[in-house]
Amino acid sequence: MTILDETYTLSNGVAIPKLGLGTWFIDDGMAADAVRAAVQIGYRNIDTAQAYGNEHGVGEGVRTCGVDREELFVSTKLAAEIKDYDQALVAIDGSLEKLGLDHIDLMLIHSPQPWNDFRGGDYAEGNREAWRALEEAHQAGKIRSIGVSNFQQHDLENILGGARVVPQVNQLLVHAGNTPSELLAYCASRQILVEAYSPIAHGAILQNAEVQAMADRYGVSVPQLCIRYTLQLDTVSLPKTANPDHMRANAGVDFEISGDDMDVLRDLRDVDYGEHSAFPVYAK
């Protein structure tokens, strides 16, 4: 049994694989091949989003990978700009159509604010409206689980105030150098599973000599150490790659990081995202 066989159980009883394939930056024309390669290696958790522009390719990969649909866990995300019930309903159906699937295993609100106003204005009402649309699609059986992404505690509390369904997932930027411990603890207290995107800090962590030295001690690569770190935080880890060799390596995490080393990684700060700092989620 490897990490690819291990699952968490969401608060509604749905099983979700602990390690998934992130598809951000994978072109729509390459996404089907990436998904098929990942599934052949043993991945069963595939993550996409409306904003990635590759739902069509991801869906094609899911439909043609040779594994029963019931064995796969497919996630997508409602565009961050949609803060309206009617638009959200249309967009949910749009994702189902682009994916070519009869249901989605997990759908998230991609961000509490539109990307051009990330961590900016007040979209509390719009988020409640988008959430109501997700709840309705969940009730109708179109989506098995629903959640959010990039939500801080106050954003979650806004949803919880009127929710019929508590978010089952919060997908967050979590990696060595960016560990939101208080938010992780809050999510755990509400039985909200955290998914860690960019567990390798979008590559920025590869330049860290201290992390490299620690990886050397364990006889693993820096990406493997970083993925293992997020798994030991009890999060789903979602490294993104279209390279089958990297997919295999990312799944080679059957080792244990010591408590002391977990503390060192947890206390790391100030990762330089370089050119990727232009993306809102990486902005300081």
Side-chain angles (χ1 to χ4, degrees):
M1 184 164 172
T2 71
I3 191 64
L4 293 171
D5 303 305
E6 295 184 27
T7 61
Y8 297 113
T9 302
L10 300 177
S11 60
N12 63 342
V14 171
I16 178 172
K18 291 184 177 182
L19 183 66
L21 177 74
T23 64
W24 188 25
F25 281 119
I26 299 180
D27 184 82
D28 196 41
M30 297 173 59
D33 283 343
V35 170
R36 284 190 290 259
V39 172
Q40 186 175 22
I41 289 163
Y43 284 78
R44 295 295 181 264
N45 182 349
I46 311 295
D47 179 83
T48 184
Q50 292 174 355
Y52 301 171
N54 61 14
E55 286 180 315
H56 181 273
V58 167
E60 181 186 336
V62 168
R63 295 192 311 274
T64 60
C65 67
V67 168
D68 287 346
R69 172 69 183 93
E70 290 68 32
E71 292 186 35
L72 302 175
F73 192 97
V74 181
S75 304
T76 192
K77 306 175 194 75
L78 188 66
E81 293 71 28
I82 296 175
K83 302 298 177 198
D84 170 271
Y85 171 78
D86 291 330
Q87 286 185 56
L89 283 181
V90 171
I92 291 164
D93 285 341
S95 278
L96 283 161
E97 186 176 343
K98 282 184 181 172
L99 288 162
L101 302 176
D102 63 3
H103 72 275
I104 294 163
D105 295 285
L106 173 65
M107 193 162 189
L108 313 173
I109 298 175
H110 206 157
S111 166
Q113 301 87 19
W115 295 122
N116 64 5
D117 193 25
F118 189 63
R119 304 295 184 223
D122 182 3
Y123 300 91
E125 180 60 29
N127 283 317
R128 289 193 293 269
E129 289 296 294
W131 186 252
R132 188 159 62 90
L134 283 178
E135 287 182 324
E136 186 171 302
H138 178 254
Q139 182 70 31
K142 297 177 181 180
I143 311 171
R144 295 176 69 215
S145 311
I146 54 178
V148 295
S149 182
N150 297 299
F151 272 50
Q152 302 291 334
Q153 181 172 333
H154 68 273
D155 300 312
L156 287 165
E157 288 171 346
N158 170 58
I159 294 290
L160 292 168
R164 289 176 293 162
V165 178
V166 173
Q168 283 128 7
V169 166
N170 190 9
Q171 190 177 121
L172 298 169
L173 178 64
V174 180
H175 59 75
N178 188 82
T179 307
S181 297
E182 288 185 14
L183 184 53
L184 292 174
Y186 175 77
C187 289
S189 76
R190 302 307 300 254
Q191 291 188 287
I192 300 170
L193 181 69
V194 171
E195 292 186 310
Y197 71 79
S198 296
I200 309 167
H202 212 64
I205 200 79
L206 299 174
Q207 312 308 318
N208 187 296
E210 185 179 13
V211 175
Q212 180 65 66
M214 186 184 294
D216 289 345
R217 280 198 285 109
Y218 283 93
V220 300
S221 67
V222 169
Q224 286 170 328
L225 182 78
C226 291
I227 291 165
R228 184 69 207 180
Y229 170 70
T230 55
L231 291 166
Q232 286 184 219
L233 292 174
D234 296 323
T235 70
V236 170
S237 195
L238 294 171
K240 51 188 178 293
T241 181
N243 184 321
D245 290 335
H246 292 170
M247 293 175 195
R248 287 188 193 89
N250 289 345
V253 292
D254 57 344
F255 63 98
E256 193 79 17
I257 302 172
S258 72
D260 286 347
D261 285 339
M262 284 293 291
D263 289 342
V264 170
L265 294 172
R266 194 180 284 110
D267 290 342
L268 277 179
R269 295 289 182 274
D270 296 328
V271 169
D272 181 2
Y273 298 106
E275 62 180 305
H276 304 298
S277 297
F279 290 101
V281 294
Y282 299 128
K284 298 289 186 186

